[in-house]
Structure formats: structure tokens, C-alpha cells
Amino acid sequence: MKALFISTDAGMFVSSEVRERMKEYGKFFDELHIIVLTPKKIVEEKDQIAPNVWAYASYARAKGLALRNAYRKGYEIVQEKKISVLVAQDPFWTGLIGYRLKQRFKIPLQVQIHTDFLSPFFRVSSLGHWVRVSLGLWILKRADAIRVVSRRIKESILQKLPTLITPI
């Protein structure tokens, strides 16, 4: 199985826990390709992390252009490498890129949630968070699988979207 992860964690381009974790994830796949939305140009465009794991930096001065670049890179990778599963780090911008690739290539999308974005405190803390909540709910309804990192986040999602998750 070949996977494409879409991430915002530029830590994988340096010696870090993130890089080591990606090497471990690579053991579950024939190939693992990771597109990283980077805030600035910090690395070369492509970095081989392990024999079957590659990270690709998607950089642009404007966020919209970085998203466009990440989508284009994802499009190329999915076509060239015959990717069979997509994984988005969050239900926001990486989720949007994953969703667009899912639509185009008809492959499953797993969305990960690392923060309780449905908490009432998250939405009111900034206009950007309000946009993220709306986008996140929209993406979650279209994901094929959702992975949460805590019981609290799971409960928050079940409360807002009770038919979305089948409790284990």
C-alpha cells in the first residue's frame, strides 16, 4: 500500500521525534510520501527520510499559494506513485487538500484531529479559528475515516456530529 500524508510539521526535515515517527509509519506502507506545508523555505523541495519515506516541502509566501502548490505536488505524487490512501493531519487546510485529491482520484481520506476544535473556546479566540471550525466540520463529513488523539476530542465530535463516528 502506498500512502500520501499531508502535514504542517516541518520538524520532519530535521533530526527530530517527528522524523523518527515518520520512519516508523513508513514500516506500515510500501511507500510513504509526505507533503509538508512549510511557513518558509527551510529545506530542499524533497528529502528522503527512510528507504521508502519521502517528504516534500510546499512553500509559498502566501498561504493560498502554498495550498495550491501542495495540491499540485499531491496530484503529481498520486498519479506517478499510484497512491491508495490519503491522510490529512487536520480537518483544516491539509484536510481541504486531501479532500480535493480524494475527489479527483477517488481514493479514501483519513483525517486526523489533534486539537478539540469544537470546544466553544476555540471558535471565539479568533476569526481564523471560526473559519477553521466551519471548514473542519465540512471536511469531517466528507472523510472516509477520522482518527482522534484523545477521548475528549472524540466526545466533542460525537456531541456535534453524532452520526459521524461509530463508537468502539
Side-chain angles (χ1 to χ4, degrees):
M1 178 184 294
K2 297 179 182 180
L4 173 63
F5 284 20
I6 306 156
S7 175
T8 58
D9 199 335
M12 73 184 68
F13 290 107
V14 296
S15 182
S16 67
E17 288 181 26
V18 176
R19 189 176 182 91
E20 293 306 311
R21 188 168 49 248
M22 291 304 121
K23 288 178 186 178
E24 290 300 313
Y25 283 154
K27 293 177 182 177
F28 295 101
F29 301 101
D30 297 318
E31 291 182 15
L32 174 55
H33 300 270
I34 309 155
I35 296 173
V36 183
L37 283 76
T38 57
K40 56 185 178 178
K41 189 166 186 168
I42 57 171
V43 294
E44 294 301 317
E45 185 177 322
K46 183 177 177 182
D47 183 18
Q48 188 165 4
I49 294 174
N52 66 328
V53 181
W54 296 267
Y56 308 82
S58 173
Y59 163 77
R61 289 180 186 214
K63 186 177 224 63
L65 295 176
L67 297 174
R68 183 199 67 191
N69 293 349
Y71 174 78
R72 287 181 176 171
K73 177 53 77 178
Y75 187 98
E76 291 171 14
I77 293 168
V78 170
Q79 265 192 325
E80 180 184 322
K81 304 295 183 179
K82 308 292 186 227
I83 298 296
S84 52
V85 67
L86 301 163
V87 178
Q89 177 183 323
D90 59 54
F92 314 125
W93 306 117
T94 67
L96 182 61
I97 295 164
Y99 173 70
R100 291 206 48 221
L101 291 169
K102 165 195 163 78
Q103 273 190 305
R104 175 66 179 90
F105 293 101
K106 308 295 186 235
I107 54 180
L109 170 65
Q110 179 202 70
V111 176
Q112 298 180 3
I113 305 173
H114 297 267
T115 188
D116 187 4
F117 76 97
L118 295 175
S119 160
F121 303 107
F122 185 89
R123 181 186 295 251
V124 299
S125 62
S126 75
L127 178 60
H129 283 180
W130 184 87
V131 171
R132 284 182 191 92
V133 169
S134 300
L135 178 59
L137 289 169
W138 190 84
I139 293 293
L140 288 182
K141 291 175 185 176
R142 289 155 179 80
D144 297 291
I146 299 168
R147 178 179 163 262
V148 297
V149 298
S150 74
R151 183 172 304 278
R152 185 179 69 153
I153 294 171
K154 177 182 172 184
E155 295 302 322
S156 181
I157 293 170
L158 281 171
Q159 197 171 48
K160 187 74 172 177
L161 303 166
T163 60
L164 193 62
I165 297 177
T166 304
I168 299 174

